[in-house]
Amino acid sequence: MTGGGWRRTLPLMPASIPSASRENKKKIPYAWELVGWLWLAYFMNQADRQLYSVVQKQVQEALGLTDIQTGLVNTVLIAAMAVMMPIAGFLGDRLSRRRIILWSLLAWSVATMLTGFTGGLVSLIVIRSLATAVGEAFFVPAATALIGQYHVKTRGQALAFYQTAQYFGAVSCGAAGGWIAGQYGWKHSFWLFGGVGVVLVALMWRRLKDAPKTAAAIACSEPIGDVLRALFRTPTALVLTLALGCSTFVNMGCLAWAPTYLQLEPFNLTPARAGFFSMFYYQLFSFAGVLLGGRVSDKIVGRRPAFRVELSGVSLLLCVPTLYLMGATSTLWVVYAMLGAFGFFRGLYDSNIYASLFDVTAPRYHSSATGLMVGFSFAVGSLAPLALGAIKQSYALHTGISLLGVVYIIGSLALFIAARGFFPSDFLRNQQTVPTSPKL
């Protein structure tokens, strides 16, 4: 695996990205300032997306929805994102990533505010599911590709830190959203979170910058068919996409119903406590896992290029027993412990999602590849809230949570096969196509 024939070689930073001498004069290099702004935007992305799950019991009672209708709202949102994400990815390789990021943040924030005015299932699906999904779908491919464009040697750490925003966003949403819903009603939660997103757009408008156009970063002008053929000829990218689909199915199913699970017998937590504790332990340990995974992978991948893929496979496999015990126990502290363990291993996996993909795809395809991968994962994940709603209605919610581990086993095995069978040749081919910049 570590033979000299495919030892990792990292490309030089593009010449037009600010030089080290100029960056050293600043307290914070712009490459990291960029990560900070995108972290805040991703924080709001995840907070707004998780908000419905935190207050869905109150929404269900207020609008008179069945369990299946309640799950359908999240399912339509995720399915709409699955359709839009590949389109967003292709546009992210052709248009200004800065503009895509800012307009998408504005769009989903306004849609979140409008969710507070809905009065029935149809309006809830149109505004919460469709409008919010279209806004959110354009953010991830453009933001992820832009970070990868500014970071090369620190790519794993930069993308791992960026990933932590989803944990903080979900925890803050669980605490604040649940408290606001309990004190003032669920509508006020959507109005507040949407308004904060609009303010963030104004703050980011002057600070966010596109990376300068270089041979490595110039917008891709190849026909979509050529882009698809290039990606489908990279087996490792396909396996990474399958694994992310498995991970997203489990995560969306678990997170969509975890607050409701803790409000049922034998736990009987209040909406505010259920919203907070269903996220707190999970996201806290996810934060630790993702930072550890990003730092360790950046250090080891130079000696063992397949390490990111191998670590991802191990991480998914270790999640399986935590999910089983989470659904099998009637003891609250065991649920919290399993949420923490699940979060840690999921964080290790998350830290390498996009860095692994960028290891085997050319820079000009990064946004397109991200859009296709995340779009597929949302298409698979969109079935999870509805599936768990149906299991809850026919059997019991704890049974559905325990069964989620089977999906992780599939993703883990696929990653182990890819690490040994496909990654070496895909990695070598990509390294031969990565352009090098002129000496600075």
Side-chain angles (χ1 to χ4, degrees), residues 33 42 106 138 187 189 226 246 260 334 384 390 406:
E33 180 188 344
Y42 198 32
L106 179 62
F138 280 82
K187 293 178 180 287
S189 299
D226 292 346
C246 294
T260 300
V334 176
V406 176

Side-chain angles (χ1 to χ4, degrees), residues 50 53-55 170-179 258-260 262-263 269-280 283:
Q50 184 64 22
S53 298
V54 172
V55 302
V171 170
S172 301
C173 175
W179 183 84
T260 300
L262 292 180
Q263 294 177 59
L269 297 187
T270 64
R273 286 173 60 83
F276 176 76
F277 286 112
S278 65
M279 296 294 106
F280 176 73
Q283 306 293 8

